[in-house]
Amino acid sequence: MRYQSTRGNSPQQSFLEILLGGLAPDGGLYLPVEYPKVTSEQLDSWRGLSYADLAFEVLRLYCNDIPEDDLRVLLRKTYTGKVYCNGRPEDNANDITPLHWLGEEGGTRIGLLSLSNGPTLAFKDMAMQLLGNLFEYALKHAGQKLNILGATSGDTGSAAEYAMRGKEGVKVFMLSPRGKMSAFQSAQMYSLQDPNIFNLAVAGVFDDCQDIVKAVSNDHAFKEKHRIGTVNSINWGRVVAQVVYYFQGYLLATKSSAEKVSFTVPSGNFGNICAGHIARMMGLPIEHLVAATNENDVLDEFFRTGIYRARKSAETLHTSSPSMDISKASNFERFVFDLMGQDGQATARMFKLVDEAGGFDISKEVIFKEIGKYGFQSGRSTHQNRLDTIRDVDHRYGVMIDTHTADGVKVARDHLQSGIPMIVLETALPIKFEETIKLALGRPAECPPAFKDIKSKPLRVENINADVNEVKAFITSHLN
Ligand SMILES: *Cc1c(COP(=O)(O)O)cnc(C)c1O
């Protein structure tokens, strides 16, 4: 499989060639030159496979420069019950992503696909754990080392650290805003004792951390000399790993490939739902893909109106579903490329408009009128919706959900269609956002046994000023 840039002006590359990089040289994102098609016979033959073996069937279509035996070993090492063991007491950890039916609402079954049973209790583990093993594999084969630099306000950073801890050839330097994350999130990150993980607590806000990462990335000489890489949400390896659980969710919800299902996806950077789009393009019988946003509703606005309007930092709201607080959706360009008939020049023009004018408007164009064929729908949820939904799902079904999943359930309920099961992706466990759970339910969030004493563990974190040179100096004195 070869990969092309969404801006149409970079050479095609193989999976392993794009795995460790970020953007294509022309500023675009990588996508396969075509989506492999899965027939209904193939799909039915995958019923009953373990998660790891299903992942093998899907990923072998995309990473055929990794020998199949190696790929299978990597996947079986990644998706084990030992790693995805933090689910609800009734879960079987070997299911990796169990499906919980909540019940029937207006004649439609509605369920949660649990993607948050991994080490950091959020869906980002699903892809990041694989990325950790793929990076180690790719670096060993190339005889290279990598220093990952990232900025986080919570979920991404901890998922990256837990994926890369102890991996050969990889070091992680993760910037986080000191004192600005939830108690649980800081404890989770800062308690890691692995010598290849460096937590840098920056005196500043998340934007300061991100600006430092950008400044270092723009220093090409420094970046090359010290082999600096990233694991942000535009990484193709992350997107493609997420395609697998749409197949798994579909197979768990149906008995034959004649049936359809819809998915609702709590969305921020469009990475998760982009994987759903790819699964659908491969032929998975998905009726609708519903993007659920919080008050930062860039995506909902686009799907309703055809107008894409990136927000300024100052316009981006801090909400109680913070992992969806985005100003622009970094993976959205992948969908736009497909929408434009895979025309790289046209896509480049539109994202030049995003950079220069803050957005684009295709409301009057034929392509927007035909957008229905991609199955997307959307909706938004507010703080009050979130609290109400957490309360309602707890009272009605006895299931505690986190704030992001609550946005998903709220929006899913507005898009139920008779006879088509609706699967909401559960993107985090409630304990990660315990302050809001307490507010909604008046009692503490459930805590998986392994996390009971997380806040009393010893910490390993370096305080640092919001200063590019200080960060560079730290990196060069702790390099791989
Ligand atoms: C990252 C994240 C999201 C948003 O996912 P995208 O891929 O950015 O759309 C939603 N919920 C949680 C809990 C997350 O960590």
Side-chain angles (χ1 to χ4, degrees):
M1 177 63 79
R2 308 292 292 170
Y3 291 85
Q4 61 186 332
S5 163
T6 51
R7 305 218 177 156
N9 203 15
S10 297
Q12 292 185 0
Q13 303 226 276
S14 75
F15 181 82
L16 284 173
E17 284 166 341
I18 62 169
L19 178 65
L20 299 173
L23 292 174
D26 61 6
L29 282 68
Y30 286 108
L31 271 179
V33 292
E34 60 180 358
Y35 295 117
K37 294 283 182 286
V38 173
T39 64
S40 47
E41 291 74 36
Q42 249 175 322
L43 190 56
D44 278 326
S45 76
W46 292 350
R47 284 178 192 283
L49 290 182
S50 68
Y51 190 92
D53 289 350
L54 175 66
F56 173 75
E57 295 299 336
V58 174
L59 292 179
R60 64 196 278 266
L61 306 171
Y62 288 99
C63 15
N64 49 10
D65 52 344
I66 300 179
E68 294 207 337
D69 290 345
D70 292 356
L71 183 63
R72 203 187 276 279
V73 168
L74 284 173
L75 290 164
R76 286 188 176 169
K77 181 165 127 184
T78 303
Y79 296 112
T80 69
K82 234 178 111 200
V83 175
Y84 293 88
C85 62
N86 298 305
R88 300 189 165 87
E90 69 272 24
D91 282 350
N92 176 352
N94 293 323
D95 290 347
I96 312 298
T97 61
L99 177 65
H100 296 270
W101 291 114
L102 292 175
E104 269 205 17
E105 297 187 10
T108 303
R109 273 193 304 170
I110 178 165
L112 299 177
L113 186 66
S114 299
L115 304 178
S116 314
N117 296 350
T120 75
L121 314 183
F123 87 96
K124 293 193 171 67
D125 288 329
M126 291 305 302
M128 209 71 95
Q129 286 288 316
L130 177 60
L131 213 58
N133 286 327
L134 281 172
F135 273 27
E136 188 177 54
Y137 174 87
L139 289 167
K140 193 186 282 176
H141 280 257
Q144 287 172 356
K145 291 184 189 299
L146 186 70
N147 295 292
I148 293 170
L149 175 64
T152 189
S153 55
D155 287 348
T156 310
S158 59
E161 291 187 353
Y162 278 76
M164 303 296 165
R165 62 188 296 198
K167 293 282 181 281
E168 239 172 87
V170 186
K171 283 191 178 177
V172 177
F173 299 87
M174 191 58 68
L175 310 181
S176 52
R178 190 189 310 162
K180 301 285 191 311
M181 294 187 296
S182 77
F184 186 90
Q185 285 176 318
S186 354
Q188 210 176 21
M189 284 180 59
Y190 299 165
S191 63
L192 278 180
Q193 300 295 328
D194 304 75
N196 71 325
I197 305 291
F198 298 96
N199 283 302
L200 301 178
V202 174
V205 294
F206 173 63
D207 281 337
D208 298 318
C209 301
Q210 213 165 19
D211 288 345
I212 295 173
V213 173
K214 273 188 205 145
V216 176
S217 299
N218 287 335
D219 182 345
H220 297 287
F222 183 89
K223 199 175 152 191
E224 232 155 80
K225 176 156 181 232
H226 300 304
R227 303 169 309 274
I228 307 286
T230 55
V231 286
N232 51 26
S233 77
I234 57 123
N235 180 288
W236 168 252
R238 281 180 66 182
V239 175
V240 75
Q242 293 170 175
V243 172
V244 177
Y245 54 69
Y246 285 88
F247 279 87
Q248 179 73 334
Y250 175 85
L251 291 169
L252 292 174
T254 59
K255 292 203 167 60
S256 99
S257 63
E259 298 168 51
K260 289 198 154 191
V261 305
S262 291
F263 288 94
T264 299
V265 187
S267 292
N269 272 319
F270 204 76
N272 197 349
I273 201 166
C274 183
H277 163 69
I278 291 165
R280 196 173 180 277
M281 297 295 274
M282 291 171 72
L284 189 66
I286 298 175
E287 180 71 14
H288 287 126
L289 282 166
V290 186
T293 74
N294 63 19
E295 293 89 335
N296 295 293
D297 55 358
V298 192
L299 289 168
D300 179 42
E301 182 173 79
F302 171 77
F303 285 111
R304 276 186 299 105
T305 64
I307 298 170
Y308 181 71
R309 185 172 61 86
R311 312 296 200 248
K312 301 191 176 68
S313 298
E315 274 180 291
T316 308
L317 303 164
H318 292 282
T319 75
S320 47
S321 44
S323 301
M324 290 154 49
D325 292 344
I326 50 105
S327 52
K328 55 182 180 197
S330 49
N331 273 290
F332 183 57
E333 183 166 337
R334 289 196 158 105
F335 171 64
V336 171
F337 180 70
D338 286 340
L339 186 64
M340 305 306 291
Q342 305 219 327
D343 179 341
Q345 261 68 47
T347 309
R349 273 198 302 279
M350 290 169 74
F351 283 87
K352 196 158 169 259
L353 275 176
V354 174
D355 287 340
E356 290 169 2
F360 54 76
D361 177 353
I362 57 166
S363 57
K364 309 258 170 357
E365 293 179 33
V366 182
I367 44 162
F368 186 67
K369 303 215 161 82
E370 292 175 350
I371 201 168
K373 69 181 181 202
Y374 295 96
F376 278 99
Q377 295 185 332
S378 71
R380 100 196 258 276
S381 164
T382 63
H383 181 69
Q384 193 57 48
N385 295 144
R386 216 165 284 139
L387 297 180
D388 293 344
T389 306
I390 291 171
R391 231 173 265 141
D392 179 78
V393 171
D394 180 61
H395 292 176
R396 208 188 296 201
Y397 302 116
V399 175
M400 199 186 267
I401 54 173
D402 103 289
T403 53
H404 307 75
T405 309
D407 289 331
V409 171
K410 186 305 175 171
V411 172
R413 284 175 160 166
D414 297 336
H415 290 87
L416 296 179
Q417 214 182 334
S418 163
I420 299 182
M422 174 63 87
I423 301 174
V424 178
L425 301 191
E426 180 176 56
T427 56
L429 291 189
I431 187 71
K432 289 202 92 169
F433 304 95
E434 54 190 338
E435 295 83 358
T436 311
I437 299 299
K438 194 93 195 277
L439 191 63
L441 299 179
R443 63 180 206 274
E446 294 152 358
C447 185
F451 291 81
K452 289 267 190 296
D453 62 347
I454 183 108
K455 286 177 203 154
S456 53
K457 289 190 172 166
L459 303 182
R460 187 166 172 275
V461 53
E462 308 273 344
N463 288 329
I464 200 159
N465 291 314
D467 179 298
V468 182
N469 290 324
E470 267 187 51
V471 171
K472 280 183 176 168
F474 185 91
I475 293 175
T476 43
S477 57
H478 295 84
L479 272 180
N480 234 325

